[in-house]
Amino acid sequence: MKKYTVSEVEEILNSIDGIQPAEAPLYTYSKIRNRLEARNTMATGFQLKPILVIAMLLCCIIINIWMLSQQKHIVNKDNSNSSIADFSAEYGLHDSYTN
Amino acid sequence: MTETELIQGLRNKSEAAFEYLVHAYQHKVFNVVLGLVQQETEAEDLAQEVFIQIYLHIHSFKGESKLSTWIYRIATTKALDHIRKRNTRKRFGQVLRIFGKEEEVQLPEFIHPGIALEKKEMAAILFQALQKLPESQRTAFILIKTEGLSYEETSVIMKTSVKAVEAYMHRAKQQLRKILIANHEV
């Protein structure tokens, strides 16, 4: 473990005096422009996503409509074998309606 | 190009204005960020991000302060955010090391490129000790000592009073003395 004496500490603290500012690396502007262009390309790529989302939603809606139409078809098929009268008789609805 | 023309040009997304801005401020931004993060590749990356942020958010500059003040503020905020993230990763790495899942990665010794050759060793010790200071003290120290800003300019950048900056500097020096003398290997 290294410890420093008071005079060494003062020397360390003063070592920063007269420091010259660091210079940015070369071609900073070109590198920034490249990054900005890369961001714009990514942003354009991102804009495609809502189109995909809309397409997926449309697919879901079409599948749902198809499923519902199929369901309706099955229910209609079932109804052809029975009548409303049978249904009311089974649940005793007929009496309550006539009374 | 005057500051007003520059700001107007940036708002109009003028290429020439942006190029002028980068050339005018690249060294200042890099120097401040480098002083804070103490790693050249990270500082280069952050300095570029600072300019991208300026380019994309120039409309949020209200003109209440000088453009340079606003740029310095973005640079210090970005650098401090980066240090916070790095410290979080470091803490997470320490937790992983307990379970033997990660090896310790030490930051290489930082030697500021603007330090005179005969002072490089001493300055490296100072920069390492600086990492142990609270953010406000470290920011004030870097802006004043490495960027050569006045206490007044620093106070505007840090959104505080001149007296507060004086106190930060006083405490920073005291704290550095304590760190170096008392008990740390730096």
Side-chain angles (χ1 to χ4, degrees), chain B residues 2 9 39-40 42 79 91 110 160:
Chain B
T2 65
Q39 222 281 335
E40 290 205 32
E42 287 176 7
R91 277 194 292 273
F110 172 65
T160 187

Side-chain angles (χ1 to χ4, degrees), chain B residues 2-185:
Chain B
T2 65
E3 192 167 298
T4 320
E5 285 168 348
L6 177 61
I7 294 163
Q8 200 49 52
L10 290 170
R11 285 190 173 141
N12 296 335
K13 300 284 174 218
S14 149
E15 284 277 330
F18 186 54
E19 190 170 358
Y20 181 89
L21 175 96
V22 173
H23 286 130
Y25 289 97
Q26 58 177 342
H27 301 308
K28 291 175 195 292
V29 169
F30 180 72
N31 190 45
V32 167
V33 173
L34 180 66
L36 286 166
V37 302
Q38 299 185 13
Q39 222 281 335
E40 290 205 32
T41 43
E42 287 176 7
E44 184 184 0
D45 192 55
L46 283 169
Q48 289 173 16
E49 278 181 30
V50 169
F51 286 107
I52 290 171
Q53 188 167 337
I54 294 165
Y55 182 78
L56 296 175
H57 302 283
I58 187 68
H59 291 280
S60 64
F61 175 64
K62 302 272 182 273
E64 289 159 357
S65 61
K66 285 199 289 184
L67 182 66
S68 60
T69 306
W70 188 63
I71 294 171
Y72 275 126
R73 203 174 286 152
I74 294 172
T76 50
T77 309
K78 273 224 177 284
L80 293 173
D81 281 347
H82 180 81
I83 293 166
R84 271 182 230 126
K85 280 180 197 160
R86 190 166 67 189
N87 290 343
T88 310
R89 276 201 303 272
K90 210 170 160 186
R91 277 194 292 273
F92 187 65
Q94 280 168 348
V95 173
L96 286 179
R97 270 197 303 285
I98 293 169
F99 300 102
K101 290 191 175 174
E102 196 169 285
E103 285 180 18
E104 190 171 8
V105 182
Q106 283 284 344
L107 268 181
E109 187 185 61
F110 172 65
I111 297 165
H112 193 285
I115 295 278
L117 192 66
E118 66 274 14
K119 290 180 178 175
K120 278 196 188 299
E121 204 182 323
M122 292 284 183
I125 297 163
L126 179 65
F127 272 102
Q128 209 171 344
L130 271 170
Q131 290 176 21
K132 295 186 171 77
L133 293 184
E135 282 180 2
S136 49
Q137 292 176 25
R138 200 186 322 166
T139 307
F141 194 91
I142 292 295
L143 288 173
I144 292 165
K145 287 285 188 177
T146 70
E147 189 53 23
L149 298 182
S150 67
Y151 280 64
E152 201 176 339
E153 284 169 307
T154 307
S155 71
V156 181
I157 294 163
M158 293 179 74
K159 287 186 176 174
T160 187
S161 64
V162 176
K163 281 213 178 301
V165 174
E166 284 170 358
Y168 289 147
M169 282 301 283
H170 180 70
R171 268 183 257 146
K173 283 176 190 168
Q174 270 187 333
Q175 196 70 20
L176 285 168
R177 282 192 184 94
K178 261 191 205 169
I179 292 167
L180 294 167
I181 290 175
N183 52 5
H184 292 275
E185 184 185 3

Side-chain angles (χ1 to χ4, degrees), chain A residues 68-85:
Chain A
L68 279 170
S69 67
Q70 287 294 106
Q71 197 80 8
K72 209 174 168 185
H73 182 68
I74 291 165
V75 170
N76 285 342
K77 224 176 180 183
D78 287 347
N79 284 352
S80 63
N81 297 329
S82 60
S83 63
I84 295 167

